[in-house]
Amino acid sequence: MKKISLATVLSFDAGYVDTAGFLALQGLFTAHVTGNFVTFGAAVVLGTSGIIAKLLALPVFCTVILVTRLASFWLAGRKYPVLSTMMRVKLLLLIVAATLAVSYGPFPKGDGWPAILTGMVLVAAMAIQNAAHKIHLAKAPPTTMMTGNTTQIMIDLADVIRGQSLEAKNAAKKRMIKMLTSVCAFAIGCGAAATAFIWLGIWCLAIPPLLGLLALMAEVETPEGDAK
């Protein structure tokens, strides 16, 4: 039986965390952080809460990406496993976020420090996931940005319909399957988070650590020079 790939687990994880964070933290995107530009504008116009968290999300995300990349050089120079270390740090952050959420939540408003701190810890966890994908899983479909995956699926479908060489068709079909798997995993994660929020409320944020643990167990083709 074929094991689930790390990229698929991360796509489900991103869909779950992004949706759960949006619902529990007053419209904060924790994985697709640029979406906070839209929600920030809406919050300003509508007078809703969570403006500070939406402003902080992008700089926190960028800072964590920078630190993660620098840390990866340090780890590689000392022959430590870079990718698995990133996944462990992400898991730790998800545990911290879950602890904050169940200790101080629910968050009827997003402007209090517990809500902001919980949100930024989740943003940091997703930043590490994005960095890990770019550095170590570049051949896998993006796990947090489904617009690009959907675009590529449609391009490949058009190429298959148009009729190219057998080799080109096979390559397009293979790429489509990978992209579709990522999109479906993300969508299922979104649905799971929405369902969990309905039934569990703020406790839905206690589930991402389990997903982080699953990511550590997932089968992944380890990049050269990076032991799992």
Side-chain angles (χ1 to χ4, degrees):
M1 182 176 177
K2 187 177 179 180
K3 293 182 179 179
I4 191 169
S5 71
L6 176 57
T8 301
V9 172
L10 293 180
S11 293
F12 179 91
D13 194 358
Y16 186 98
V17 173
D18 220 19
T19 302
F22 187 89
L23 293 171
L25 298 168
Q26 303 302 315
L28 177 69
F29 285 111
T30 55
H32 186 200
V33 291
T34 51
N36 290 307
F37 290 140
V38 177
T39 56
F40 171 76
V44 171
V45 173
L46 300 175
T48 53
S49 65
I51 289 178
I52 296 175
K54 294 173 177 65
L55 277 176
L56 288 175
L58 187 59
V60 168
F61 185 88
C62 292
T63 300
V64 174
I65 293 286
L66 178 63
V67 172
T68 299
R69 181 56 165 165
L70 293 174
S72 71
F73 291 129
W74 186 88
L75 290 167
R78 287 157 181 77
K79 307 301 181 183
Y80 291 121
V82 180
L83 179 56
S84 59
T85 299
M86 286 183 179
M87 293 296 99
R88 287 181 171 86
V89 173
K90 177 195 165 188
L91 173 58
L92 177 61
L93 289 171
L94 291 175
I95 292 172
V96 171
T99 302
L100 289 169
V102 300
S103 298
Y104 296 102
F107 306 112
K109 291 188 177 181
D111 294 322
W113 72 263
I116 294 173
L117 182 58
T118 302
M120 293 309 102
V121 173
L122 286 173
V123 167
M126 290 296 100
I128 291 175
Q129 174 171 317
N130 276 274
H133 174 266
K134 285 291 185 180
I135 298 170
H136 297 290
L137 303 169
K139 293 183 179 179
T143 60
T144 62
M145 301 287 288
M146 295 302 113
T147 303
N149 287 345
T150 305
T151 301
Q152 188 62 56
I153 289 169
M154 293 299 101
I155 290 173
D156 287 334
L157 180 60
D159 289 346
V160 170
I161 293 173
R162 178 175 177 269
Q164 296 183 340
S165 66
L166 181 61
E167 183 179 356
K169 279 188 176 182
N170 289 337
K173 289 178 181 178
K174 185 177 180 180
R175 189 165 51 244
M176 283 173 61
I177 291 172
K178 291 172 65 176
M179 297 287 180
L180 276 170
T181 300
S182 180
V183 171
C184 289
F186 187 91
I188 293 170
C190 293
T195 302
F197 183 77
I198 292 171
W199 287 98
L200 303 175
I202 196 65
W203 279 87
C204 70
L205 290 177
I207 295 177
L210 300 178
L211 302 178
L213 184 61
L214 181 61
L216 284 173
M217 300 167 59
E219 182 180 273
V220 58
E221 185 175 328
T222 308
E224 184 178 354
D226 179 28
K228 186 179 180 183

Coordinates of all heavy atoms in Angstrom, one line a residue, residues 24-25 94-107 114-115 118 122 200-209:
A24 N -11.7 31.0 13.8 CA -11.5 31.2 15.2 C -10.9 32.5 15.6 O -11.0 32.9 16.7 CB -10.7 30.0 15.8
L25 N -10.2 33.1 14.6 CA -9.4 34.3 14.9 C -9.9 35.5 14.1 O -9.1 36.3 13.7 CB -7.9 34.0 14.6 CG -7.3 32.9 15.5 CD1 -5.9 32.5 15.0 CD2 -7.2 33.4 16.9
L94 N 2.7 24.6 16.5 CA 1.3 24.2 16.4 C 0.8 23.8 17.8 O -0.3 24.1 18.2 CB 1.1 23.1 15.5 CG 1.3 23.4 14.0 CD1 1.1 22.1 13.1 CD2 0.3 24.4 13.5
I95 N 1.7 23.2 18.6 CA 1.3 22.8 20.0 C 1.2 24.0 20.8 O 0.2 24.1 21.6 CB 2.4 21.8 20.6 CG1 2.4 20.5 19.8 CG2 2.2 21.7 22.1 CD1 3.5 19.6 20.2
V96 N 2.1 25.0 20.7 CA 2.0 26.3 21.4 C 0.7 27.0 21.1 O 0.0 27.5 21.9 CB 3.2 27.1 21.1 CG1 3.0 28.5 21.7 CG2 4.5 26.5 21.7
A97 N 0.4 27.0 19.8 CA -0.9 27.7 19.3 C -2.1 27.0 19.9 O -3.0 27.7 20.3 CB -0.9 27.8 17.8
A98 N -2.1 25.7 19.9 CA -3.2 25.0 20.4 C -3.4 25.2 21.9 O -4.5 25.4 22.4 CB -3.1 23.5 20.2
T99 N -2.3 25.3 22.6 CA -2.3 25.5 24.1 C -2.9 26.9 24.3 O -3.7 27.1 25.2 CB -0.9 25.4 24.7 OG1 -0.4 24.1 24.4 CG2 -0.9 25.6 26.2
L100 N -2.4 27.9 23.6 CA -2.9 29.3 23.7 C -4.4 29.4 23.4 O -5.2 30.0 24.1 CB -2.1 30.2 22.8 CG -0.7 30.5 23.2 CD1 0.0 31.3 22.0 CD2 -0.6 31.4 24.4
A101 N -4.8 28.7 22.3 CA -6.2 28.8 21.9 C -7.2 28.2 23.0 O -8.2 28.8 23.3 CB -6.4 28.0 20.6
V102 N -6.8 27.0 23.5 CA -7.8 26.4 24.4 C -7.6 27.0 25.8 O -8.6 26.9 26.6 CB -7.5 24.8 24.5 CG1 -7.7 24.2 23.2 CG2 -6.1 24.5 25.0
S103 N -6.5 27.7 26.1 CA -6.4 28.3 27.4 C -7.0 29.7 27.5 O -7.6 30.1 28.5 CB -4.9 28.5 27.7 OG -4.2 27.2 27.8
Y104 N -7.0 30.4 26.3 CA -7.5 31.8 26.4 C -8.7 32.0 25.5 O -9.4 33.1 25.5 CB -6.4 32.8 25.9 CG -5.2 32.8 26.9 CD1 -4.0 32.1 26.6 CD2 -5.3 33.5 28.1 CE1 -3.0 32.2 27.5 CE2 -4.2 33.6 29.0 CZ -3.1 32.9 28.7 OH -2.0 32.9 29.5
G105 N -9.0 31.1 24.6 CA -10.1 31.2 23.7 C -11.4 30.8 24.3 O -11.4 30.3 25.5
P106 N -12.6 31.0 23.7 CA -12.7 31.5 22.3 C -12.4 33.0 22.2 O -12.3 33.7 23.3 CB -14.1 31.2 21.9 CG -14.8 31.2 23.2 CD -13.9 30.6 24.2
F107 N -12.2 33.5 21.0 CA -11.8 34.9 20.8 C -13.0 35.6 20.1 O -12.9 35.7 18.8 CB -10.5 35.0 20.0 CG -9.4 34.2 20.6 CD1 -8.9 33.1 20.0 CD2 -8.8 34.6 21.8 CE1 -7.9 32.3 20.5 CE2 -7.8 33.9 22.4 CZ -7.3 32.7 21.7
P114 N -4.1 37.7 23.5 CA -4.1 36.2 23.3 C -4.5 35.8 21.9 O -3.8 34.9 21.3 CB -5.2 35.8 24.3 CG -5.3 36.9 25.3 CD -5.1 38.1 24.5
A115 N -5.4 36.5 21.3 CA -5.8 36.2 19.9 C -4.7 36.5 19.0 O -4.4 35.8 18.0 CB -7.1 36.9 19.5
T118 N -1.8 34.0 19.5 CA -2.2 32.7 18.9 C -2.1 32.7 17.4 O -1.5 31.8 16.7 CB -3.6 32.3 19.3 OG1 -3.7 32.3 20.7 CG2 -4.0 30.9 18.7
L122 N 0.6 30.7 14.8 CA 0.1 29.9 13.6 C 0.7 30.4 12.3 O 1.1 29.6 11.4 CB -1.4 29.9 13.5 CG -2.2 29.1 14.6 CD1 -3.7 29.3 14.5 CD2 -1.9 27.6 14.4
L200 N -16.6 21.7 17.6 CA -15.6 21.9 18.7 C -15.4 23.3 19.1 O -14.8 23.6 20.1 CB -14.3 21.2 18.3 CG -14.4 19.7 18.0 CD1 -13.0 19.2 17.5 CD2 -14.9 18.9 19.2
G201 N -15.7 24.2 18.3 CA -15.4 25.6 18.5 C -13.9 25.9 18.6 O -13.2 25.4 17.7
I202 N -13.4 26.6 19.5 CA -12.0 26.9 19.6 C -11.1 25.7 19.7 O -9.9 25.7 19.3 CB -11.7 27.8 20.8 CG1 -10.3 28.5 20.7 CG2 -11.8 27.1 22.1 CD1 -10.2 29.5 19.5
W203 N -11.7 24.6 20.2 CA -10.9 23.3 20.3 C -10.5 22.8 18.9 O -9.7 21.8 18.8 CB -11.7 22.3 21.1 CG -11.6 22.5 22.6 CD1 -12.3 23.3 23.4 CD2 -10.6 21.9 23.4 NE1 -11.9 23.3 24.7 CE2 -10.8 22.4 24.7 CE3 -9.5 21.0 23.3 CZ2 -10.1 22.1 25.8 CZ3 -8.8 20.7 24.4 CH2 -9.0 21.2 25.6
C204 N -11.1 23.3 17.9 CA -10.6 22.9 16.5 C -9.1 23.1 16.3 O -8.5 22.5 15.5 CB -11.5 23.5 15.4 SG -11.2 25.3 15.2
L205 N -8.6 24.1 17.0 CA -7.2 24.5 16.9 C -6.3 23.5 17.7 O -5.1 23.6 17.7 CB -6.9 25.9 17.4 CG -7.5 27.0 16.4 CD1 -7.3 28.4 17.0 CD2 -6.9 26.9 15.0
A206 N -6.9 22.5 18.4 CA -6.1 21.5 19.0 C -5.7 20.4 18.1 O -4.9 19.5 18.4 CB -6.9 20.9 20.2
I207 N -6.4 20.4 16.9 CA -6.1 19.3 15.9 C -4.8 19.5 15.1 O -4.2 18.5 14.8 CB -7.4 19.1 15.0 CG1 -8.5 18.6 15.9 CG2 -7.1 18.1 13.9 CD1 -9.8 18.5 15.1
P208 N -4.4 20.7 14.7 CA -3.2 20.9 13.9 C -2.0 20.2 14.4 O -1.2 19.7 13.6 CB -3.1 22.4 13.8 CG -4.5 22.9 13.8 CD -5.2 22.0 14.8
P209 N -1.7 20.1 15.8 CA -0.6 19.4 16.2 C -0.6 17.9 15.8 O 0.5 17.3 15.5 CB -0.6 19.5 17.7 CG -1.3 20.8 18.0 CD -2.4 20.9 16.9

